[in-house]
Amino acid sequence: MVYVNSRVKSDRRTTRWDEHREQRRAELVEAAVRAIDRLGPDASVAEMAAEAKASKPVLYRYFADKNEIHAAVAAWSSARVAEQLLPALTAPGPIRDRIAAGVDGYLRVIEEHPQVFLLLVHHRGDGDLLAAEKGTIAAALAVMLGDSLRSLGVDAAGAEPWAHGLVGLGLSTGEWWLERRTMSRSAVGRYLTELIWHAFAGIADGYGVSLDDLDRKSSLRAATPIEKGRR
């Protein structure tokens, strides 16, 4: 006869419950996103619960209050942006093309969920809902910028403030675009790309190097040994 330690059984049940709770919480966050998309930033907890086909008390089992729901929506939105932005910026290819792809990915996400984005940038609740998310994306951008500058053999100390500046630029431009809608996504993306590109090119030029040098180095790193041998 095989005996299973009761503590092991308990641990397994706890793990399964934790997984179920996280899955249910994610479903409720997605329902909150849908409610905000449909009803706007002022969507109530009752309306979010109705979208989830649940009651307000059910939501309050998973979230302390409306501010915590909004914070979870902020984390959800930030993850969508990071999924589009960071792979585009770190992919092989010319820097300008990578910036354009990253900018378009970011604009595409906020265009798909404009009410969610406007809720987060206009939030008047407790604290800055986007503080942690802005920090996470800025940190990833700082690593990318720092690595790029070091590969050119120049001072990388500016990577962190520049990264935070880029996050602020993206938020401000996105807010203006969604509220005004005076141009297409492709147009605002082109202008934003040009601004970022020329800023980087100017910084590199100030150090006496060229972003073309970085493109060539990236191209060489991406090439396979066979491809290199054919050149």
Side-chain angles (χ1 to χ4, degrees):
M1 182 177 295
V2 177
Y3 293 93
V4 180
N5 187 297
S6 61
R7 182 173 179 178
V8 172
K9 286 184 177 180
S10 178
D11 288 345
R12 288 174 179 170
R13 284 196 296 270
T14 300
T15 299
R16 284 197 296 271
W17 168 245
D18 288 344
E19 291 173 351
H20 170 76
R21 183 176 177 81
E22 285 303 309
Q23 180 179 349
R24 181 56 175 155
R25 192 176 190 275
E27 291 170 354
L28 293 173
V29 171
E30 291 176 357
V33 169
R34 292 194 301 272
I36 295 166
D37 278 342
R38 181 166 53 86
L39 301 170
D42 293 327
S44 68
V45 174
E47 289 166 331
M48 295 176 193
E51 181 66 36
K53 296 180 173 56
S55 63
K56 284 176 61 175
V58 168
L59 260 69
Y60 286 131
R61 292 177 197 165
Y62 294 85
F63 307 96
D65 51 28
K66 189 175 183 179
N67 199 68
E68 191 170 302
I69 296 173
H70 286 169
V73 169
W76 179 93
S77 179
S78 175
R80 305 288 86 73
V81 169
E83 287 171 2
Q84 295 294 321
L85 180 64
L86 300 181
L89 293 177
T90 56
I95 295 174
R96 186 164 190 157
D97 291 348
R98 288 153 55 191
I99 293 172
V103 166
D104 184 66
Y106 162 68
L107 294 175
R108 182 166 59 250
V109 170
I110 67 172
E111 183 180 40
E112 290 172 355
H113 303 282
Q115 299 302 324
V116 169
F117 180 82
L118 292 174
L119 162 68
L120 300 179
V121 296
H122 292 162
H123 179 69
R124 295 295 180 265
D126 297 334
D128 181 359
L129 287 178
L130 289 173
E133 282 64 39
K134 287 188 292 188
T136 298
I137 291 177
L141 289 173
V143 170
M144 184 200 72
L145 289 172
D147 289 345
S148 298
L149 291 169
R150 281 186 289 273
S151 73
L152 291 172
V154 299
D155 179 21
E160 191 169 0
W162 287 328
H164 281 272
L166 285 175
V167 171
L169 173 64
L171 288 173
S172 180
T173 303
E175 179 184 1
W176 167 83
W177 175 55
L178 291 179
E179 290 182 336
R180 297 289 297 277
R181 297 287 188 156
T182 53
M183 61 179 66
S184 66
R185 189 181 86 204
S186 61
V188 72
R190 183 172 68 253
Y191 293 131
L192 189 54
T193 296
E194 287 178 357
L195 177 60
I196 296 170
W197 161 256
H198 286 294
F200 287 166
I203 291 166
D205 184 65
Y207 284 124
V209 296
S210 168
L211 291 185
D212 291 337
D213 296 334
L214 186 56
D215 282 341
R216 282 191 289 271
K217 290 182 179 181
S218 298
S219 177
L220 288 173
R221 283 196 299 270
T224 65
I226 294 177
E227 289 172 333
K228 286 182 182 179
R230 289 176 178 172
R231 292 179 179 174

